[in-house]
Amino acid sequence: MTGLAAFDLTGRTALVTGSSQGIGRALAGGLAAAGATVVVHGRDAGKAARAADEIAEATGSRTISAVFDVTDAAAVDAGIEAVEAELGTPDIVVNNAGIQRRAPIAEFSDADWHELVETNLSSAFHLSRRVARGMIERGSGKLIQIGSVQSQLARPSIAPYAATKGAIVMLTKGLCADLAPHGVQANAIAPGYFATELTQALVADETFSAWVRGRTPAGRWGEVDDLVGALVFLASSASDFVNGQTIYVDGGMTAVV
């Protein structure tokens, strides 16, 4: 396919983890708008089902919901088995589920460290390993991880979070090394500072917001829809020769000092 047809996701299936709200929901909606059948995933069954229904109504694409613990390998295996029973192995998997914990490093708890690693990093490993089997058998697939500007840049009080997001970039490269010979592309999107339900307090903090606007060449916070173009590109045939890469969608933050 060439031209705009290369970006068409009609006939493809996509699973987006952590997509009942925030960035994940915008990503799921963007894939549905591009024609994909979308699995909306979350921890709250009712919330995931409502998000799936709203996306279907807005886009006209088929959506279903799935609920399983992305930090538990056995739960991931069972959850993907259920999705495969209905839709087959997803053509596109977006490893979006993530959390943030803040504390000075000398005071950071073991519990918060382990929760960050399990949610932000281990979940992407569990999902990618499980769906890779079907993608290898089929000879195609798109694995897309959600990193962060903290994949490259550090800030005080979030060293463990930055460690998980830095590891996401290297996991993506490793997935490329293993899976590219089987026709599978693995890439990452690294958002900058985005206004979402989870960042409302930071957006409302005028001192912090002024820092974001001043530090970002674009002069503003990101809006969740700013991520959709990069996602559709990486999920589509337009990126079939793009592999192991991280695209920073950050208004230029990582490009300047």
Side-chain angles (χ1 to χ4, degrees):
M1 291 188 291
T2 60
L4 291 177
F7 295 87
D8 185 5
L9 301 181
T10 301
R12 302 195 188 191
T13 57
L15 165 66
V16 184
T17 65
S19 53
S20 61
Q21 66 177 4
I23 285 175
R25 176 157 176 176
L27 299 179
L31 293 173
T37 294
V38 175
V39 182
V40 175
H41 166 271
R43 292 179 293 183
D44 182 315
K47 193 172 183 179
R50 285 191 298 274
D53 288 344
E54 290 167 2
I55 290 170
E57 183 177 358
T59 64
S61 289
R62 181 186 178 192
T63 63
I64 65 172
S65 60
V67 179
F68 55 86
D69 183 356
V70 293
T71 70
D72 183 304
V76 168
D77 286 349
I80 296 301
E81 184 176 355
V83 169
E84 287 179 332
E86 185 165 355
L87 299 174
T89 299
D91 298 289
I92 304 150
V93 170
V94 183
N95 285 306
N96 167 76
I99 59 171
Q100 173 65 288
R101 297 288 183 267
R102 294 181 173 87
I105 192 63
E107 302 167 17
F108 215 94
S109 72
D110 287 350
D112 282 348
W113 164 263
H114 290 300
E115 188 177 16
L116 277 167
V117 171
E118 290 302 309
T119 306
N120 295 359
L121 180 59
S122 295
S123 66
F125 165 72
H126 296 321
L127 262 292
S128 299
R129 177 180 62 180
R130 178 58 179 80
V131 299
R133 300 165 190 164
M135 290 180 173
I136 289 170
E137 183 177 354
R138 186 178 56 219
S140 66
K142 303 281 186 174
L143 290 169
I144 303 165
Q145 284 58 250
I146 304 301
S148 166
V149 288
Q150 268 74 54
S151 296
Q152 181 173 326
L153 302 174
R155 275 184 57 79
S157 81
I158 58 169
Y161 175 84
T164 65
K165 291 302 184 177
I168 280 291
V169 169
M170 288 310 301
L171 175 63
T172 298
K173 291 177 183 288
L175 292 171
C176 166
D178 277 350
L179 299 176
H182 302 283
V184 177
Q185 291 81 53
N187 293 288
I189 296 172
Y193 284 84
F194 275 71
T196 71
E197 297 99 319
L198 298 180
T199 60
Q200 283 179 347
L202 294 175
V203 175
D205 182 334
E206 184 49 39
T207 300
F208 190 83
S209 274
W211 176 82
V212 169
R213 293 192 298 269
R215 180 64 180 80
T216 306
R220 65 175 177 86
W221 286 77
E223 301 293 336
V224 289
D225 287 343
D226 291 326
L227 294 164
V228 172
L231 175 68
V232 171
F233 167 63
L234 292 178
S236 72
S237 297
S239 63
D240 281 352
F241 203 56
V242 178
N243 218 333
Q245 304 304 306
T246 298
I247 298 177
Y248 286 86
V249 183
D250 62 0
M253 179 177 278
T254 53
V256 302
V257 294

